[in-house]
Amino acid sequence: MLGNDDWWRDAVVYQVYPRSFADADGDGVGDLEGVRGRLGYLADLGVDAIWLSPFYTSPMADGGYDVADYRDVDPIFGTLADFDALVADAHARGIRVVVDLVPNHSSDQHPWFQQALRGERRDRYVFRDRPNDWESIFGGPAWTRTADGQWYLHLFAPEQPDLNWENPEVRAEFRDILRFWLDRGVDGFRIDVAHGMIKADGLPDVGQKEGPQAEMLGDERVPYFDQDGVHEIYREWRPILDSYPGGRMAVAEAWVSSPERLARYVGPDELHQAFNFEFMMADFHAKSFRTVIDKSLREAELVGAPTTWVLSNHDKPRHVTRHGSLARARAATLLMLALPGSAYLYNGEELGLPEVLDLPDELRQDPAWLRRGESRDGCRVPIPWTSSGDLGWRDPWLPIPPEWSALSAEAQEHDPASTLNLYRAALRLRRSHPALGGGTLRWLDSPKDVLAIERDPGLVVVLNTGDQAVKVPGEVLLASGPLADDGAVPPDTTAWLQT
């Protein structure tokens, strides 16, 4: 069932945030057995692969993106045996498994860093006698002083010291980590902070800037992101991936200053894909979407690899809230799933979940909340499975809004108009229709505030972001919401048409 080595080129990949997906042991935290128990749900949804956010041994200072042991499973998520069973069962259902890799930094509880705190082998991290002016992405300085007076670099939380990728031992360690998980059958890696790792020679100051020093989606370069030397790392990794059968792949989380810079991460000697975050940040307007789509397709041409599309993830507000309504979120989703390339979904978006904006401050766990007053916890609330009682969770690690009972998988299962069934129908059509998945698109003439795209053979996609319904030719295969009585596409609606 997993014979296509180029599967990633037009795959639909479903991101599982393990703490919030499904809880098998009833401790309020999702786990690998919970994921395994919901593989039937994911197969029915129609995804090609799952991407597991970090499940490694971790003190959880940053939701598992602070790794203390890269070759083991944290007990809150299960065991290596649970992981192996999950991979085997997923593969049996035709679902591939991609895992998160966090190479820019480790946990401060990693044995290497504990050694460094004792004054031993500090060359595996970035220590210096005096700090420079670099700032943490989470706010505040990017340096913390140790008991003996030296300072160590952490571009994120103090519990996440940056590894020194100029050290050959660090490079060898991660090559071995890649092989460890590839030997266990994983189909790919999502590379966290893929534009990090290498810092400019001499660690120069950034200098005065207005606002935060480093925006994760910015147009200015800083001496600790997107340095040319990072590409040497990926040129070391690609032969490892290629040495395993079955189309093993890697996708970069790379926030860089231009399409040309992003293109350097992707190619036959580096990574297979890079996330397209600009589509996620687009406004709900025809002009904004078209600008981003055109730019993204030009980037794809630069590297000869299809682009990726994403509307939500564990770091950004859910697109129901970001775009202002469920109707708009559904319309944006049908647009995304009709574009050439691969699509990444975030767990719970198929239920139409909004961002939770009213979590009690004392329950928030995002380190960015403590340092700069911004929290990503609202998109990480556990997803509801049942309509009654505990919504499928016992004392979940973040509270689930009671009104989500109407959005639960159980409540939506048999409602043909539900968001869950819209996603299922869209993914079925995407898999079966010859115009969808790979290929190219052509823009059609359309009224103001309307996008019209032709996918060959025989499919037209219409998105209406205006305030008047628009007449469309052809048979409607799928629409994100009810059409007008005369078959016109109303505002905030996308339709797929057979022509």
Side-chain angles (χ1 to χ4, degrees):
M1 296 181 70
L2 299 175
N4 177 15
D5 286 1
D6 286 335
W7 64 273
W8 49 272
R9 289 182 169 271
D10 61 359
V12 175
V13 182
Y14 183 98
Q15 181 189 358
V16 172
Y17 194 72
R19 302 182 83 188
S20 302
F21 185 65
D23 177 17
D25 62 10
D27 65 354
V29 178
D31 44 47
L32 296 181
E33 277 295 288
V35 180
R36 186 181 172 206
R38 298 290 179 177
L39 287 172
Y41 169 87
L42 294 169
D44 289 344
L45 186 61
V47 302
D48 300 297
I50 56 173
W51 149 31
L52 296 168
S53 289
F55 51 84
Y56 314 109
T57 306
S58 170
M60 301 295 161
D62 183 23
Y65 283 91
D66 50 316
V67 181
D69 186 344
Y70 287 89
R71 295 180 182 83
D72 206 354
V73 175
D74 194 278
I76 68 169
F77 298 130
T79 65
L80 275 173
D82 294 333
F83 178 83
D84 292 340
L86 169 58
V87 171
D89 285 5
H91 285 173
R93 290 182 177 273
I95 297 173
R96 298 177 187 265
V97 179
V98 173
V99 300
D100 230 312
L101 188 67
V102 189
N104 180 72
H105 46 264
S106 76
S107 165
D108 62 351
Q109 299 303 305
H110 191 286
W112 280 8
F113 194 73
Q114 290 297 300
Q115 235 183 319
L117 290 180
R118 296 193 298 269
E120 306 165 17
R121 299 301 313 279
R122 286 190 171 176
D123 57 330
R124 294 181 293 206
Y125 292 89
V126 182
F127 279 83
R128 66 185 308 184
D129 293 331
R130 293 182 182 178
N132 61 17
D133 70 351
W134 294 1
E135 296 175 1
S136 163
I137 297 298
F138 290 158
W143 297 89
T144 290
R145 197 171 196 176
T146 59
D148 62 6
Q150 274 206 313
W151 300 76
Y152 71 88
L153 177 67
H154 53 86
L155 291 178
F156 294 86
E159 297 89 349
Q160 295 169 288
D162 278 50
L163 287 154
N164 174 20
W165 277 83
E166 305 295 347
N167 184 328
E169 187 179 2
V170 173
R171 296 191 181 216
E173 172 72 355
F174 274 86
R175 291 195 298 269
D176 190 71
I177 290 166
L178 286 175
R179 293 187 184 99
F180 178 87
W181 293 105
L182 289 166
D183 288 341
R184 301 195 94 88
V186 305
D187 299 284
F189 299 90
R190 178 262 189 186
I191 312 300
D192 185 62
V193 194
H195 57 310
M197 291 111 93
I198 299 298
K199 281 67 176 174
D201 289 345
L203 309 186
D205 285 345
V206 173
Q208 287 294 113
K209 284 187 67 177
E210 289 186 18
Q213 189 182 89
E215 299 278 2
M216 284 296 275
L217 183 59
D219 56 7
E220 295 184 56
R221 295 183 64 192
V222 289
Y224 44 82
F225 281 156
D226 193 30
Q227 300 300 301
D228 291 344
V230 77
H231 299 286
E232 296 175 12
I233 298 167
Y234 300 132
R235 286 192 286 269
E236 292 175 5
W237 289 7
R238 183 58 181 260
I240 297 172
L241 292 165
D242 290 346
S243 70
Y244 285 79
R248 315 296 177 98
M249 57 81 75
V251 55
E253 182 208 25
W255 302 84
V256 298
S257 58
S258 71
E260 291 73 24
R261 298 297 301 181
L262 189 65
R264 301 186 68 205
Y265 289 80
V266 180
D269 63 342
E270 291 199 32
L271 303 178
H272 298 71
Q273 293 180 318
F275 281 120
N276 174 9
F277 293 117
E278 292 193 71
F279 185 75
M280 180 167 61
M281 308 306 289
D283 297 327
F284 189 85
H285 189 273
K287 183 177 180 181
S288 179
F289 278 128
R290 177 161 182 171
T291 299
V292 169
I293 292 167
D294 278 339
K295 182 180 179 184
S296 302
L297 294 176
R298 285 196 301 272
E299 291 174 10
E301 288 178 9
L302 282 174
V303 299
T307 192
T308 66
W309 309 102
V310 59
L311 281 166
S312 285
N313 65 23
H314 66 291
D315 282 333
K316 295 295 180 184
R318 288 185 177 275
H319 62 282
V320 168
T321 300
R322 204 174 61 247
H323 284 320
S325 70
L326 177 58
R328 288 183 168 190
R330 288 164 58 113
T333 296
L334 276 201
L335 172 65
M336 176 181 76
L337 292 175
L339 297 173
S342 60
Y344 284 75
L345 312 179
Y346 178 51
N347 59 202
E349 72 170 75
E350 76 281 7
L351 302 177
L353 300 183
E355 187 80 357
V356 179
L357 301 173
D358 58 353
L359 285 170
D361 290 351
E362 64 273 15
L363 296 182
R364 296 181 185 273
Q365 299 188 23
D366 185 356
W369 169 253
L370 302 175
R371 292 172 67 85
R372 70 180 186 205
E374 297 177 10
S375 172
R376 298 165 293 174
D377 291 310
C379 64
R380 300 176 178 183
V381 172
I383 68 174
W385 290 104
T386 60
S387 331
S388 59
D390 55 11
L391 306 186
W393 294 77
R394 183 189 307 161
D395 192 23
W397 71 279
L398 285 174
I400 307 173
E403 60 269 23
W404 279 14
S405 62
L407 299 176
S408 71
E410 180 181 63
Q412 297 195 40
E413 176 68 30
H414 300 296
D415 176 4
S418 71
T419 302
L420 175 59
N421 281 312
L422 174 69
Y423 271 71
R424 288 171 171 169
L427 295 188
R428 278 196 304 270
L429 267 173
R430 181 184 165 97
R431 186 169 284 181
S432 64
H433 199 290
L436 294 171
T440 59
L441 63 76
R442 183 168 70 89
W443 295 104
L444 302 177
D445 291 338
S446 57
K448 184 175 181 291
D449 302 328
V450 175
L451 285 185
I453 296 168
E454 185 175 49
R455 300 292 315 275
D456 188 50
L459 188 77
V460 169
V461 180
V462 175
L463 165 64
N464 184 2
T465 67
D467 54 12
Q468 301 291 326
V470 292
K471 289 285 187 69
V472 292
E475 173 196 356
V476 175
L477 297 179
L478 189 63
S480 63
L483 301 182
D485 290 342
D486 61 356
V489 177
D492 298 345
T493 304
T494 297
W496 292 358
L497 305 136
Q498 185 73 40
T499 59

